[in-house]
Amino acid sequence: MKSFYHEIARQHQELLILPEKKVIHQFIDDFFLLLYSNTTKTYETEASVRYKFNLLEKQFDELVTDFSPKSDSRQQTEIFFEAIPHLHKKAINDALTIFTKDPAAKSFEEVLYSYPGFFAIAVYRFSHQLWEQDLKLLARTISEYAHIKTSIEIHPGAQIGDNFAIDHGTGIVIGETTIIGNDVQIYQGVTLGAMSVKKEDAFIKRHPTIEDNVVIYANSSILGGQTIVGKNSIIGGNVWLTNSILPNSIVYHKNEIKIKTLSENKKEIQKDTASLTFNYNTGERYLSVDELFE
C-alpha cells in the first residue's frame, strides 16, 4: 500500500486544486434567485440589487482564480457581468416562449418558478458565455449542476438561438457542437448527438444543426455533424435521423397498433390471449386478441 499512498499524494500535488462543488452550486442558486425568482422581497430596491451584484462579482472573481489561475480574473469578471443584461433578456424570452407554447403553463411565474426546462436553458445561457470566454472548466461545472437538478444535459459549447423552448425535458442531451436556430421546441428524451465518439474527432463538428422554427418530439435522436434539419420541420417521436432533411419536412416513425373489436357473440377472453407483436423487418407492431366464438 505504501506505493499507492505515494501515488495518491503525487496526484494531489499535480492536479489543480478546485473549490468544492457546493460553492459553485450556491453561487448559481444565488444568481438565479436574484435574476429570476419571486420567492423573496429582498431585491425590491435598486440599492439591494446593486449590493448583491457586487457580492456575486467578488465570488465570481474568486471562482475564475480557482478554475483558471492563468487568466486575468478581473477582466474575465468584467466581461461576464457586462454580458448579463443581454443574457438575462434572452432567458426571459425563452421563458415567455415556454409559457406561450405550453398549454399546461398557467402563468409566467409558474415557468420561472417550477419548470426544469427553463432552469436548464437559463443556466446554459450563462455557461455558454463562460465557454466563449475560454473558462471551459468552470462552464462545464456550472452546466453539470443544471444537469444534476433537471436531468437535462446541454453542453455549454452548443450554439442555441432565441426563443428556445423545452417541454418536460427529462433525458434531453444536446452535444457540444450542436447548432440550434431560433424558435425551436424540443420534448423529453431528445438526443442531438454525434455519430462518432473517437477522440481524434474532438475538434470537428460532430453534432447536428437544427434550423429555425423546428419542433422535435419525444425520444427522437438526431445524430451527426453533417445532419441538418431544415427550418419549419417537424420531427415526430422515436425518430432516428442521421440524414439531412429539407425545410418544411415532416419525419415520423411508423408505429402501428391494431386493436380488434370484440364481437357480440364473444363468450370470454382467456388469460394471456392478448399479445403485442413486433415485426423487426418492417418496424410494425400489432396488438392482437385471440377471439373465441361458439
Side-chain angles (χ1 to χ4, degrees), residues 76-246:
Q76 291 281 27
T77 299
E78 289 176 359
I79 293 171
F80 179 69
F81 276 82
E82 284 175 1
I84 286 176
H86 175 65
L87 299 174
H88 173 261
K89 183 177 180 181
K90 287 174 77 75
I92 288 293
N93 287 339
D94 295 325
L96 288 169
T97 301
I98 293 171
F99 174 60
T100 301
K101 292 187 175 183
D102 185 2
K106 300 301 186 289
S107 68
F108 178 63
E109 289 81 3
E110 180 184 354
V111 175
L112 296 179
Y113 184 76
S114 62
Y115 270 53
F118 171 68
F119 183 84
I121 295 168
V123 172
Y124 156 78
R125 295 291 185 198
F126 294 101
S127 66
H128 179 70
Q129 174 65 32
L130 298 177
W131 188 267
E132 293 291 294
Q133 291 180 219
D134 203 31
L135 298 172
K136 290 185 167 50
L137 180 55
L138 180 56
R140 282 286 280 170
T141 305
I142 288 176
S143 68
E144 278 306 303
Y145 180 51
H147 183 197
I148 291 168
K149 289 193 70 170
T150 66
S151 295
I152 299 168
E153 181 178 356
I154 307 176
H155 194 288
Q159 300 176 45
I160 301 178
D162 296 333
N163 306 322
F164 183 47
I166 288 177
D167 201 334
H168 303 297
T170 304
I172 285 174
V173 176
I174 299 176
E176 176 186 3
T177 61
T178 301
I179 299 175
I180 297 176
N182 300 323
D183 301 294
V184 171
Q185 182 177 19
I186 63 177
Y187 287 75
Q188 69 273 16
V190 167
T191 297
L192 303 180
M195 290 288 288
S196 169
V197 292
K198 296 178 181 178
K199 190 65 176 179
E200 54 265 33
D201 293 339
F203 300 103
I204 66 172
K205 191 177 187 306
R206 308 182 307 281
H207 305 92
T209 296
I210 313 298
E211 294 185 345
D212 296 348
N213 199 37
V214 168
V215 179
I216 307 173
Y217 284 99
N219 300 315
S220 286
S221 294
I222 304 174
L223 309 177
Q226 303 305 311
T227 303
I228 300 173
V229 175
K231 63 182 181 180
N232 305 316
S233 292
I234 297 174
I235 310 299
N238 301 304
V239 165
W240 177 275
L241 186 64
T242 59
N243 296 307
S244 296
I245 62 169
L246 295 173

Side-chain angles (χ1 to χ4, degrees), residues 17 26 28 36 40-41 53 66 71 102 123 129 139 147 160 211 213 234 261 275:
I17 302 302
Q26 187 61 56
I28 300 167
Y36 306 111
T40 178
K41 298 291 187 181
F53 262 108
D66 289 335
S71 296
D102 185 2
V123 172
Q129 174 65 32
H147 183 197
I160 301 178
E211 294 185 345
N213 199 37
I234 297 174
T261 302
S275 62

Side-chain angles (χ1 to χ4, degrees), residues 10-73:
R10 186 181 63 81
Q11 173 183 301
H12 280 276
Q13 293 167 14
E14 294 178 356
L15 291 176
L16 181 66
I17 302 302
L18 297 170
E20 293 186 39
K21 289 184 178 180
K22 64 182 179 181
V23 175
I24 295 92
H25 297 174
Q26 187 61 56
F27 173 81
I28 300 167
D29 287 341
D30 288 347
F31 202 67
F32 194 87
L33 178 67
L34 175 61
L35 293 178
Y36 306 111
S37 178
N38 58 343
T39 61
T40 178
K41 298 291 187 181
T42 303
Y43 306 120
E44 288 193 328
T45 67
E46 183 179 333
S48 63
V49 171
R50 183 184 298 110
Y51 175 76
K52 185 61 177 179
F53 262 108
N54 288 336
L55 290 178
L56 290 171
E57 282 191 39
K58 293 177 182 178
Q59 294 172 22
F60 183 82
D61 193 77
E62 292 174 1
L63 289 176
V64 173
T65 300
D66 289 335
F67 277 86
S68 187
K70 295 181 181 180
S71 296
D72 183 339
S73 62

